[in-house]
């Protein structure tokens, strides 16, 4: 590209700017370097000088002009070009640093229009707490392709994670795991995968934050009436009594557990909210002193028997147990499989003191080594940059291609780039190659998935933690809270039966009713949680909490399942044998 210094001088004189020969030559070099013509370059320069109040040109002004205008304009053009070509993940480190600077400038501008806080200013929580510096940025190649070890110019491996000495340790077992070969056949097994919906699965984004209070009330009412009808038929109950009608003999009431205030539920604050058909949604306090055993949480649909002589308080004497749905009956073709090895992992996939994603790379190494038939990955890739998230996906997909393992990705509400609503639609990722499309599947949160006729209930929401904070119980003997909560999930027939939810749980209730109900009782329910890992048999369903792949600065755990179905055992326990282990990464 030829640039005329004479024309540059003429363009500058139009605006009354004089320029030394040395500066004119430097300006011509900038035209060549950034692909600008003489008129466009002078126009950009004059606009910069006007906005900064500069009356004459100096070498420092040209340097500032190049850094603040030309470099950012070029990186923006690279960004747009990479998006158009389908390689948005291959952004260089410098452009990411500039995006961070732009976000900081926008935040400063927003803060200038707000009233300063009178309280003490808390230091913002940043993970990892290693700030980006211009010195480190300049040491990297501006065209370096992102990799898990280059997500940050100052990223350093976690010392605590790399110094661990318990990797590969089996910390929990279930079933006949002794002597089981945990190596699968990769893609050679050709498993049958099918998402089961009720009535259909969630496949795409939807408009949220448009729900009205009457719509929420309608969903809750339908839940009470549907579950109440099932329990009435199961226990052969003749009729329900209205809540507020005083009766001198024992009555049977249908309703939903709620609290008499905005605080947490306790044995003295329990109320029963009736259905619309029998009680018009009325509420009545419940006295639990006559019940020897109970386990209750807000939103639970129950049938209670007791004394209500005044119509103002129910003295409960009997609590009817919930009833789970039947199990799925596989077809003849689905019964015909020998064995399936499945890995279960839930993020975060890097430690809190580093973003080198070493735990993720270790997981990929294990997948390539053991070649499981299927890997179910509950995502928690919390990077604010969607391009970094896509690069993480690309790393997992391409890194496991040699194993042939099928990958199932379940989103999380803590993935900051994804739709912040529950139920959550599947990830959208258009960069899959033709061969990867056969083995990679993105599902919703929550999701019911059939694997060779074995039904998996998948969720990434920490329901154990949410319900554990609200549940109250009384038991004559030893009682396991995890087992009680898991039993509630199965008998309430919902992936999220708690109401009201925590403030940070953005639920769309119409879609919850459509996409977050259990279609059948799953054979395996995967419920990752911050709480301790476990594998339990609850009402015939194997419930697994594989833990998190990382916990703070140290390594966590993942799970692996071994499924086998024998035709001769079909009449006994559905002919399905399951072994499971929880293993340290």
């Amino acid at each position: 590209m030829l640039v005329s210094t004479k024309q540059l001088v003429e363009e500058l004189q139009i605006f009354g700017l004089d320029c030394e020969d040395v500066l004119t030559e430097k300006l011509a070099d900038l035209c060549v370097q950034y692909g600008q013509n003489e008129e466009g370059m002078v126009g950009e320069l004059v606009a910069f000088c006007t906005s900064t109040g500069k009356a004459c040109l100096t070498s420092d002004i040209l340097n500032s002009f190049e850094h603040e205008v030309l470099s950012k304009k070029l990186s923006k053009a690279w960004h747009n070009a990479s998006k158009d070509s389908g390689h948005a993940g291959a952004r260089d480190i410098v452009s990411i640093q500039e995006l961070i600077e732009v976000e900081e400038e926008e935040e400063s501008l927003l803060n200038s229009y707000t009233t300063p806080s009178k309280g003490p200013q808390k230091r913002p929580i940043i993970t990892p707490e290693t700030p980006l510096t211009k010195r480190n940025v300049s040491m990297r190649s501006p065209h370096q392709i992102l990799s898990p070890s280059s997500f940050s110019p100052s990223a350093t491996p976690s010392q605590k994670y790399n110094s661990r000495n318990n990797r590969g340790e089996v910390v929990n077992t279930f079933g006949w795991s002794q002597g089981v070969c945990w190596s699968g056949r990769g893609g050679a097994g050709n498993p049958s995968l099918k998402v089961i919906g009720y009535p259909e699965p969630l496949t795409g984004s939807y408009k949220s934050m448009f729900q009205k209070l009457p719509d929420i009330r309608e969903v809750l009412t339908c839940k009470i009436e549907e579950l109440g009808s099932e329990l009435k038929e199961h226990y052969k109950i003749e009729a329900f009594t209205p809540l507020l009608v005083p009766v001198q003999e024992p009555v049977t009431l249908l309703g939903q557990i709620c609290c008499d205030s905005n605080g947490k539920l306790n044995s003295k604050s329990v109320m029963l909210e009736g259905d619309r058909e029998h009680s018009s949604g009325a509420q009545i306090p419940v006295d639990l002193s006559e019940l020897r055993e109970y386990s209750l949480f807000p939103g639970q649909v129950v049938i209670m028997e007791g004394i209500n002589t005044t119509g103002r308080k129910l003295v409960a004497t009997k609590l009817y147990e919930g009833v789970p749905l039947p199990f799925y009956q596989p077809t003849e073709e689905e019964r015909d499989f020998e064995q399936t090895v499945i890995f279960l992992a839930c993020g975060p996939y890097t430690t809190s003191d580093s973003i080198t994603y070493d735990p993720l790379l270790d997981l990929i190494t294990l997948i390539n080594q053991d070649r499981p038939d299927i890997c179910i990955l509950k995502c928690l890739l919390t990077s604010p940059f969607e391009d970094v998230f896509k690069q993480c996906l690309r790393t997992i997909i391409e890194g496991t291609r040699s194993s042939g393992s099928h990958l199932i990705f379940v989103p999380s509400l803590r993935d900051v780039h994804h739709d912040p609503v529950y139920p959550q639609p599947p990830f959208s990722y258009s960069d899959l190659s033709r061969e990867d499309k056969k083995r990679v599947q993105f599902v919703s949160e929550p999701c019911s998935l059939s694997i060779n006729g074995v039904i998996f209930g998948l969720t990434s929401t920490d329901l154990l933690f949410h319900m554990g904070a609200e549940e109250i119980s009384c038991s004559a003997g030893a009682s396991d809270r995890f087992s009680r909560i898991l039993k509630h999930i199965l008998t309430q027939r919902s992936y999220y039966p708690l109401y009201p939810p925590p403030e940070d749980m953005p639920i769309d209730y119409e879609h919850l009713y459509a996409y977050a109900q259990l279609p059948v009782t799953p054979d395996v329910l995967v419920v990752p949680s911050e709480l301790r890992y476990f594998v339990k048999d609850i009402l015939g369903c194997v419930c697994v909490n594989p833990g998190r792949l990382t916990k703070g600065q140290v390594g966590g755990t993942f799970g692996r399942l071994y499924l086998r179905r024998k035709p001769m055992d079909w009449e006994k326990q559905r002919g399905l044998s399951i072994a499971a282990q929880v293993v340290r990464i």
Side-chain angles (χ1 to χ4, degrees):
M1 178 179 179
L2 297 177
V3 179
S4 171
T5 55
K6 181 179 179 181
Q7 187 175 349
L8 281 173
V9 173
E10 292 175 354
E11 293 288 342
L12 289 169
Q13 288 176 349
I14 293 176
F15 297 97
L17 293 175
D18 295 326
C19 187
E20 299 178 2
D21 293 341
V22 176
L23 296 180
T24 305
E25 292 178 0
K26 182 173 182 180
L27 196 58
D29 292 339
L30 293 178
C31 289
V32 176
Q33 181 178 351
Y34 291 96
Q36 291 265 30
N37 57 26
E38 296 87 344
E39 183 180 357
M41 179 62 74
V42 173
E44 296 270 10
L45 179 60
V46 171
F48 175 74
C49 291
T50 302
S51 63
T52 55
K54 308 295 184 183
C56 59
L57 291 179
T58 63
S59 179
D60 292 338
I61 291 176
L62 279 185
N63 289 335
S64 298
F65 171 64
E66 179 184 6
H67 174 71
E68 298 180 21
V69 177
L70 299 179
S71 296
K72 291 184 178 181
K73 189 174 181 180
L74 180 62
S75 66
K76 186 176 181 181
W78 285 344
H79 170 63
N80 293 335
S82 64
K83 286 184 68 174
D84 294 339
S85 62
H87 296 284
R91 175 180 286 148
D92 59 276
I93 295 295
V94 174
S95 65
I96 286 184
Q97 171 65 14
E98 288 167 351
L99 282 175
I100 295 173
E101 292 175 357
V102 170
E103 284 190 356
E104 290 175 351
E105 290 174 5
E106 292 176 350
E107 185 176 353
S108 299
L109 179 62
L110 178 62
N111 290 337
S112 67
Y113 286 94
T114 59
T115 304
S117 173
K118 294 182 180 180
Q121 298 296 321
K122 294 184 179 180
R123 181 171 63 89
I125 299 175
I126 301 174
T127 304
E129 297 187 356
T130 48
L132 298 171
T133 61
K134 293 183 178 179
R135 179 176 179 273
N136 287 331
V137 171
S138 63
M139 294 170 61
R140 296 296 187 99
S141 169
H143 301 287
Q144 181 177 2
I145 302 299
L146 287 177
S147 65
S149 61
S150 63
F151 287 142
S152 169
S154 57
T156 55
S158 171
Q159 295 183 358
K160 286 189 176 181
Y161 177 79
N162 289 329
S163 62
R164 71 195 190 285
N165 54 12
N166 57 359
R167 66 184 68 190
E169 177 187 355
V170 178
V171 294
N172 197 292
T173 60
F174 175 85
W176 37 271
S177 58
Q178 295 294 331
V180 170
C181 178
W182 295 101
S183 296
R185 294 172 291 175
N190 194 24
S192 170
L193 303 177
K194 181 183 178 182
V195 178
I196 299 177
Y198 183 72
E200 59 184 15
L202 178 61
T203 57
S205 299
Y206 57 89
K207 289 185 178 180
S208 58
M209 300 178 67
F210 286 92
Q211 58 185 346
K212 302 175 183 178
L213 290 178
D215 297 333
I216 298 176
R217 178 71 262 172
E218 185 68 24
V219 169
L220 296 176
T221 300
C222 289
K223 181 184 73 169
I224 296 174
E225 292 177 350
E226 289 180 3
L227 277 177
S229 176
E230 294 287 338
L231 292 174
K232 180 180 178 181
E233 182 179 352
H234 179 79
Y235 288 108
K236 304 294 189 295
I237 297 174
E238 293 184 3
F240 296 121
T241 304
L243 261 63
L244 302 183
V245 175
V247 182
Q248 301 305 313
E249 56 189 30
V251 293
T252 303
L253 307 180
L254 168 66
Q256 173 180 271
I257 298 297
C258 60
C259 183
D260 64 0
S261 66
N262 291 329
K264 287 192 175 183
L265 191 70
N266 60 62
S267 60
K268 303 299 182 181
S269 65
V270 175
M271 297 192 72
L272 188 66
E273 181 176 350
D275 65 331
R276 183 169 50 189
E277 178 183 355
H278 301 94
S279 305
S280 302
Q283 296 181 346
I284 186 171
V286 180
D287 183 350
L288 302 175
S289 59
E290 298 296 322
L291 288 177
R292 295 187 58 190
E293 293 187 2
Y294 60 84
S295 172
L296 303 172
F297 66 91
Q300 179 183 359
V301 177
V302 298
I303 293 179
M304 285 186 173
E305 191 175 287
I307 305 297
N308 183 19
T309 57
T310 63
R312 291 192 295 270
K313 174 177 277 191
L314 171 69
V315 179
T317 58
K318 182 177 180 180
L319 178 65
Y320 287 87
E321 292 282 339
V323 180
L325 287 162
F327 288 94
Y328 175 74
Q329 297 298 324
T331 63
E332 291 292 339
E333 294 180 356
E334 291 172 332
R335 298 178 190 178
D336 188 21
F337 78 93
E338 296 180 0
Q339 63 185 43
T340 304
V341 177
I342 300 173
F343 275 21
L344 308 171
C346 182
Y349 293 95
T350 187
T351 54
S352 61
D353 61 341
S354 173
I355 51 173
T356 56
Y357 286 86
D358 287 338
L360 176 62
L361 297 178
D362 289 342
L363 179 64
I364 292 174
T365 301
L366 283 172
I367 292 173
N368 290 327
Q369 173 183 314
D370 294 341
R371 300 179 70 240
D373 299 281
I374 297 167
C375 297
I376 299 175
L377 303 174
K378 309 291 186 76
C379 287
L380 197 59
L381 300 166
T382 56
S383 170
F385 294 109
E386 185 175 359
D387 295 336
V388 179
F389 166 77
K390 288 185 176 180
Q391 181 61 15
C392 286
L393 282 184
R394 185 178 295 119
T395 301
I396 298 171
I397 294 170
E398 295 181 359
T400 59
R401 189 175 291 161
S402 61
S403 71
S405 300
H406 290 256
L407 304 179
I408 309 294
F409 289 95
V410 184
S412 167
L413 287 174
R414 292 167 66 184
D415 289 321
V416 295
H417 65 282
H418 198 41
D419 298 350
V421 63
Y422 184 94
Q424 198 172 24
F427 290 129
S428 176
Y429 185 69
S430 58
D431 296 341
L432 284 177
S433 64
R434 181 176 298 180
E435 60 175 317
D436 288 332
K437 286 182 179 179
K438 298 179 181 179
R439 69 181 192 93
V440 178
Q441 187 167 356
F442 299 100
V443 299
S444 63
E445 152 58 4
C447 169
S448 297
L449 181 69
S450 171
I451 302 177
N452 292 331
V454 179
I455 305 302
F456 278 69
L458 306 177
T459 180
S460 56
T461 301
D462 197 344
L463 184 54
L464 292 174
F465 188 83
H466 291 181
M467 292 184 63
E470 300 292 340
E471 184 240 14
I472 62 171
S473 66
C474 175
S475 178
S479 181
D480 176 11
R481 170 164 289 195
F482 288 161
S483 298
R484 294 196 307 268
I485 295 174
L486 292 167
K487 187 176 180 181
H488 284 316
I489 296 172
L490 297 176
T491 56
Q492 294 292 302
R493 307 179 179 187
S494 172
Y495 283 107
Y496 202 90
L498 182 66
Y499 180 85
E503 292 183 355
D504 59 350
M505 188 69 186
I507 294 180
D508 186 291
Y509 280 90
E510 290 186 88
H511 288 85
L512 176 81
Y513 183 75
Y515 301 113
Q517 307 303 309
L518 292 175
V520 293
T521 295
D523 297 295
V524 180
L525 179 63
V526 185
V527 282
S529 174
E530 299 286 350
L531 304 175
R532 186 175 175 83
Y533 48 78
F534 61 78
V535 185
K536 294 177 178 292
D537 186 335
I538 306 295
L539 301 177
C541 171
V542 177
C543 301
V544 185
N545 172 18
R548 307 282 186 187
L549 198 66
T550 63
K551 286 197 171 185
Q553 300 180 15
V554 298
T557 56
F558 69 97
R560 54 190 183 189
L561 299 174
Y562 182 92
L563 311 180
R564 186 177 64 185
R565 180 167 277 160
K566 295 181 178 180
M568 68 181 68
D569 294 335
W570 178 246
E571 297 298 330
K572 183 180 179 181
Q573 296 182 351
R574 309 184 307 282
L576 180 64
S577 298
I578 300 177
Q581 288 184 343
V582 178
V583 187
R584 293 196 186 277
I585 186 65

